[in-house]
């Protein structure tokens, strides 16, 4: 998948006068982000509450109003047979012969793409009828999409339950949600997403409601889906220690922007952005060796409103490095830094390492 310069702005409801005068304000929930997710890669979006993680996921799922998507596009590489069919029925949605521009799809092409990307939420059973048996919960998407005969659907449900290690599947099919543990319930939700044979899963804080003791069994399922089935995974969490454990690459988001992207171990061991440093230093045991090198990096104040984003670098009002680096202040105040590849496959949007290079970027 390629996400290119995506902006999702929600209009703020205002009075009639402001509306007539055309003074519309926006919550800039996602404010120009780009990233790629490879096949069989786990890509993590990390950041504090309100930085735009869920909105990004909703935009990829085509769950936001298209009129709120202010710029950018999402290109997706589906299964071959899906690509071929979309190329036949809606050639204008095909980009570079191998991607589908998801926002250009309509009708059947849109339906096909919706099957290719599935999402798993924090609270999987919040929206599911507790009186449905596991079998019906997992079978439902197939019924909704009109896929398969009864026997084929049974096979598909059994395979999906096996893939999430609810085995033997027959033992679980007739159970009700309340007869399962939290970890088993979340695995049923993953099976329900898998039954449509997607190429990619989005998981939005999938273990944050689970006891720490049962998180590993769910994370292990995600890991196997990647390694054994080649699924791509976009994993959303506010917990950078968890991100390191599960992900190949991590993107750190702040106020609607990606401020740093790199391989998980690289970003944890060598964070370049002052915000990433603060996130990591707040959980010292994420990398024991870091505790010695990285003194606690504070962040000043509160997250600003996503309606009035600070000019220049949006992190500047909270940045300790800005206070300590007089020579870059002009840049920080005037110009928003874009993501720059400062080291191999390590991108950062901060003027200090951009201007000085990674070695001179130390905050302390
Ligand atoms: N439908 C909406 N209408 C208006 N504002 C919205 C809407 N959805 C989200 N927002 C705002 O957009 C910003 C980003 O929200 P989002 O839910 O994407 O953040 P998040 O990173 O997922 O946070 P959390 O960690 O709390 O789940 C927030 O300021 C939020 O209040
Ligand atoms: Mg969220």
């Amino acid at each position: 998948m390629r996400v290119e310069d995506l902006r999702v702005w929600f209009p703020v409801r205002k009075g009639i006068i402001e509306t007539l005068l055309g003074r519309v304000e926006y919550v800039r929930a996602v404010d120009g982000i780009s990233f790629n997710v490879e096949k069989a890669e786990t890509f993590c979006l990390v950041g504090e509450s309100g930085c735009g993680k869920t909105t990004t996921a909703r935009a990829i799922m085509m769950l936001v109003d298209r009129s709120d998507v202010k710029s950018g596009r999402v290109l997706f590489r589906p299964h071959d047979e899906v690509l071929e069919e979309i190329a036949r029925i809606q050639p204008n949605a095909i980009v570079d012969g191998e991607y589908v521009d998801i926002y250009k799809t309509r009708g059947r092409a849109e339906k096909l793409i919706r099957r290719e990307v599935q999402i798993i939420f924090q609270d999987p059973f919040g929206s599911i009828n507790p009186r449905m048996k596991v079998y019906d919960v997992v079978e439902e998407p197939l019924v909704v999409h009109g896929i398969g005969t009864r026997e084929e659907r049974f096979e598909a449900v059994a395979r999906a339950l096996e893939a999430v290690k609810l085995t033997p599947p027959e033992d679980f099919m007739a159970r009700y949600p309340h007869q399962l543990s939290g970890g088993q319930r979340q695995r049923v939700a993953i099976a329900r997403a898998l039954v449509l044979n997607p190429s990619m899963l989005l998981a939005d804080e999938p273990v944050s409601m689970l006891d720490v003791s049962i998180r590993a069994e769910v994370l292990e399922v995600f890991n196997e889906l990647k390694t054994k089935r080649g699924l791509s995974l976009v994993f959303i969490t506010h917990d950078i220690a968890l991100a390191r454990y599960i992900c190949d690459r991590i993107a750190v988001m702040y106020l609607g922007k990606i401020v740093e992207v790199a391989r998980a171990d690289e970003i944890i061991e060598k964070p370049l952005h002052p915000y990433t440093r603060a996130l990591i230093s707040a959980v010292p045991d994420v990398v024991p060796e870091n505790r010695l090198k990285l003194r606690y990096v504070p962040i000043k104040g509160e997250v600003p409103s996503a309606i009035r984003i600070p000019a220049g670098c949006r992190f500047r009002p909270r940045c300790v490095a800005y206070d300590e680096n007089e020579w870059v202040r002009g840049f920080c105040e005037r110009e928003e830094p874009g993501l720059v590849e400062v080291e191999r496959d390590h991108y950062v949007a901060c003027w200090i390492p951009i201007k000085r290079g990674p070695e001179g970027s130390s905050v302390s």
Side-chain angles (χ1 to χ4, degrees):
M1 179 176 67
R2 283 163 45 188
V3 175
E4 299 178 348
D5 194 36
L6 182 69
R7 279 187 177 75
V8 185
W9 293 7
F10 300 110
V12 179
R13 227 185 292 272
K14 302 206 69 175
I16 185 96
I17 303 288
E18 284 94 339
T19 309
L20 288 174
L21 291 173
R23 275 193 223 130
V24 186
E25 280 193 317
Y26 293 97
V27 178
R28 284 148 68 177
V30 174
D31 202 22
I33 65 169
S34 304
F35 60 92
N36 297 344
V37 182
E38 306 299 326
K39 185 173 162 60
E41 180 183 42
T42 304
F43 185 83
C44 217
L45 290 172
V46 177
E48 287 169 296
S49 185
C51 70
K53 304 181 296 292
T54 297
T55 305
T56 303
R58 288 169 47 87
I60 293 168
M61 297 295 301
M62 296 189 276
L63 293 174
V64 296
D65 232 38
R66 291 188 192 200
S67 63
D68 292 333
V69 179
K70 287 292 180 288
S71 79
R73 56 183 190 173
V74 177
L75 303 181
F76 191 77
R77 172 78 163 90
H79 285 105
D80 289 343
E81 62 279 11
V82 173
L83 184 70
E84 278 160 29
E85 183 167 354
I86 295 178
R88 202 168 57 242
I89 60 179
Q90 216 192 321
N92 69 318
I94 303 290
V95 176
D96 296 344
E98 58 172 338
Y99 290 101
V100 178
D101 183 339
I102 65 167
Y103 284 117
K104 285 203 177 143
T105 59
R106 300 286 181 271
R108 168 139 180 95
E110 179 180 335
K111 222 174 155 189
L112 286 170
I113 281 296
R114 282 187 187 281
R115 269 197 236 159
E116 286 279 319
V117 189
Q118 294 293 318
I119 192 161
I120 291 137
F121 293 106
Q122 193 174 41
D123 177 13
F125 282 75
S127 55
I128 285 174
N129 186 342
R131 278 172 300 194
M132 272 168 87
K133 288 182 183 155
V134 165
Y135 182 83
D136 301 314
V137 169
V138 178
E139 186 200 29
E140 190 176 51
L142 296 172
V143 175
V144 169
H145 280 89
I147 298 169
T149 62
R150 234 175 185 325
E151 290 74 26
E152 284 164 347
R153 290 200 300 268
F154 181 87
E155 262 310 299
V157 170
R159 277 200 310 272
L161 290 173
E162 274 168 3
V164 299
K165 297 196 205 166
L166 292 174
T167 48
E170 292 76 12
D171 284 3
F172 288 89
M173 288 176 176
R175 293 203 203 168
Y176 290 96
H178 72 264
Q179 295 170 313
L180 303 173
S181 72
Q184 288 172 334
R185 278 208 287 271
Q186 190 58 299
R187 286 190 276 151
V188 170
I190 299 170
R192 180 180 158 94
L194 282 180
V195 80
L196 289 168
N197 190 29
S199 305
M200 189 164 86
L201 292 182
L202 300 181
D204 192 352
E205 304 270 11
V207 297
S208 58
M209 285 177 75
L210 302 179
D211 275 359
V212 173
S213 58
I214 54 174
R215 285 182 182 179
E217 72 181 51
V218 175
L219 296 174
E220 183 51 35
V221 166
F222 282 121
N223 217 6
E224 276 201 5
L225 293 176
K226 180 183 83 164
T227 50
K228 291 202 180 145
R229 297 171 63 129
L231 268 161
S232 304
L233 181 66
V234 176
F235 195 97
I236 291 175
T237 176
H238 59 272
D239 180 347
I240 198 161
L242 176 62
R244 181 194 206 191
Y245 176 71
I246 182 95
C247 291
D248 299 305
R249 277 188 306 145
I250 294 178
V252 177
M253 282 187 82
Y254 181 75
L255 213 55
K257 277 264 190 210
I258 291 178
V259 297
E260 186 161 4
V261 195
R263 274 209 340 271
D265 48 356
E266 163 91 9
I267 208 167
I268 300 279
E269 279 154 28
K270 237 175 143 189
L272 296 176
H273 198 286
Y275 179 65
T276 313
R277 288 174 157 261
L279 286 185
I280 293 167
S281 70
V283 276
D285 47 341
V286 56
V287 216
E289 61 275 26
N290 254 355
R291 218 175 331 197
L292 308 171
K293 282 189 289 195
L294 201 67
R295 72 173 163 89
Y296 177 68
V297 186
I299 317 180
K300 298 185 291 178
E302 306 256 301
V303 186
S305 150
I307 301 174
R308 269 168 282 277
I309 302 233
C313 172
R314 62 189 61 204
F315 185 61
R316 176 179 48 88
R318 305 182 70 197
C319 182
V320 178
Y322 165 78
D323 291 345
E324 293 175 1
N325 285 268
E326 204 167 333
W327 65 276
V328 287
R329 281 188 197 176
F331 292 102
C332 308
E333 279 159 14
R334 278 194 307 273
E335 234 182 292
E336 172 123 68
L339 276 177
V340 172
E341 188 174 15
V342 170
E343 287 190 68
R344 191 149 181 257
D345 296 327
H346 192 156
Y347 295 79
V348 65
C350 170
W351 286 119
I352 300 169
I354 291 173
K355 292 289 173 194
R356 204 181 249 179
E359 294 316 318
S361 63
S362 165
V363 174
S364 39

